Amino acid sequence: MKSYLVPIIMILTLITAPAVAGNIVNQSGQPASFSDSGSTADQTISAAGRADTAEDDGFEADIFQEDQADQSQSTHDMVADPLEGLNRAVFVFNDKLYMYGLRPIAKGYARIVPSFARQGVKHFFKNLLFPIRFVNDLLQGKGEAAGMEFCAFFINTTLGFGGLNDFARKYVGIQLQHEDFGQTLGSYGIGNGIYLMLPVLGPSSLRDAVGRAGDRLIDPINYTQPWELSWGASGLEKVNKTSFRIGEYEAFKEAAIDPYTAMRNAYIQNRNALVNDLVGAQKLKSFKD
């Protein structure tokens, strides 16, 4: 049985790199038209995903924020990119992985799995990753935020049926914020360092690459046994998340004159906003109709 599960799980994991596909919209804050627009079915899936996201708290931060768009022209000066040639090659590689790997799988997944079930999976993984946010809140001296995280985790794990329902947000009004070790390092005054486009993982900076390693140490999924289950869970989480964002990456590429530069600038701009706890970034805006 494992002989055929292993390659499937490995493929699911490898194609999840452009998670940015689920985090990018154009600078107007609205999805642009699709270059391969393919099909009415694609647009229907995308519209449904936006509606589902609007009902949620939009926990995953969008790379583009309306209140940051006017600053994008100066973002280039915020990060050094000495490896631009290599980074561009990796960007193309990740783009192909998304277009021919993650995208068709996420589209098929969205057609087969009903929206309410995908929302439950999304809430489950958000609740499961509580230790990352909780620990980084403590490391940043955000005692109140850490307390809210703990309360939300307890409520959602018990009353929310193991996290499948975001009971704490819907009925108690607890709004959580995205926190990771990269933000923690930034709060200590450590700069972005150089810009990196990581194979499979997508845009990053030297500081955030180190932060990823720190977060993995407290990620419960990494300690799941056997390893096939851990990889499968990671693959499911990425495919499920992308199923709500189908079409956004394509729209971003069409709207940008130079997609690589636009992604670099938007990524660094958004990360700087999160480190500085800017209101616009930490509201984690949902799509508007």
Side-chain angles (χ1 to χ4, degrees), residues 17-271:
V20 295
N23 297 330
I24 299 176
V25 295
N26 62 25
Q27 294 187 12
S28 67
Q30 298 290 342
S33 58
F34 303 134
S35 55
D36 57 347
S37 64
S39 66
T40 303
D42 288 358
Q43 298 182 22
T44 301
I45 292 175
S46 180
R50 290 194 297 273
D52 293 333
T53 303
E55 293 177 0
D56 199 5
D57 60 352
F59 182 78
E60 291 297 329
D62 291 332
I63 285 184
F64 288 113
Q65 300 287 337
E66 287 183 359
D67 56 353
Q68 300 173 35
D70 294 338
Q71 305 172 18
S72 60
Q73 66 273 14
S74 62
T75 308
H76 176 72
D77 298 329
M78 297 180 184
V79 64
D81 192 4
L83 303 178
E84 182 171 349
L86 177 60
N87 284 336
R88 284 184 178 273
V90 176
F91 174 80
V92 173
F93 172 75
N94 287 345
D95 175 77
K96 301 304 180 186
L97 279 178
Y98 169 73
M99 295 302 296
Y100 300 108
L102 179 59
R103 180 173 179 264
I105 290 180
K107 285 170 61 179
Y109 174 82
R111 290 192 179 100
I112 296 173
V113 182
S115 175
F116 75 89
R118 290 185 288 124
Q119 282 286 355
V121 172
K122 180 179 179 180
H123 294 322
F124 173 81
F125 281 107
K126 174 183 171 182
N127 191 63
L128 184 64
L129 297 179
F130 146 80
I132 296 177
R133 300 187 302 274
F134 178 74
V135 170
N136 281 292
D137 275 330
L138 293 178
L139 292 176
Q140 294 176 43
K142 299 178 179 179
E144 182 178 354
M148 297 296 282
E149 279 285 354
F150 183 82
C151 289
F153 175 74
F154 179 80
I155 292 172
N156 289 335
T157 301
T158 53
L159 300 179
F161 303 100
L164 293 174
N165 188 356
D166 195 351
F167 193 96
R169 180 184 63 85
K170 293 179 180 178
Y171 303 107
V172 184
I174 298 178
Q175 298 288 344
L176 302 180
Q177 296 182 347
H178 177 82
E179 298 292 350
D180 55 55
F181 194 54
Q183 289 174 243
T184 297
L185 294 176
S187 71
Y188 293 160
I190 299 176
N192 288 300
I194 64 173
Y195 179 71
L196 300 172
M197 178 62 69
L198 302 177
V200 179
L201 298 177
S204 183
S205 65
L206 182 58
R207 181 193 67 204
D208 289 343
V210 174
R212 285 178 183 268
D215 288 335
R216 287 184 64 85
L217 293 177
I218 51 178
D219 185 345
I221 297 178
N222 291 329
Y223 298 96
T224 304
Q225 295 296 330
W227 66 266
E228 295 97 330
L229 181 59
S230 176
W231 280 35
S234 296
L236 173 62
E237 192 269 336
K238 297 301 182 183
V239 170
N240 187 78
K241 181 167 63 177
T242 302
S243 72
F244 293 102
R245 304 287 192 172
I246 295 172
E248 295 176 14
Y249 175 66
E250 298 88 325
F252 160 71
K253 286 204 304 179
E254 181 181 1
I257 297 175
D258 180 358
Y260 170 81
T261 300
M263 180 176 292
R264 177 189 62 198
N265 292 353
Y267 175 81
I268 295 300
Q269 176 182 325
N270 184 68
R271 292 298 294 174

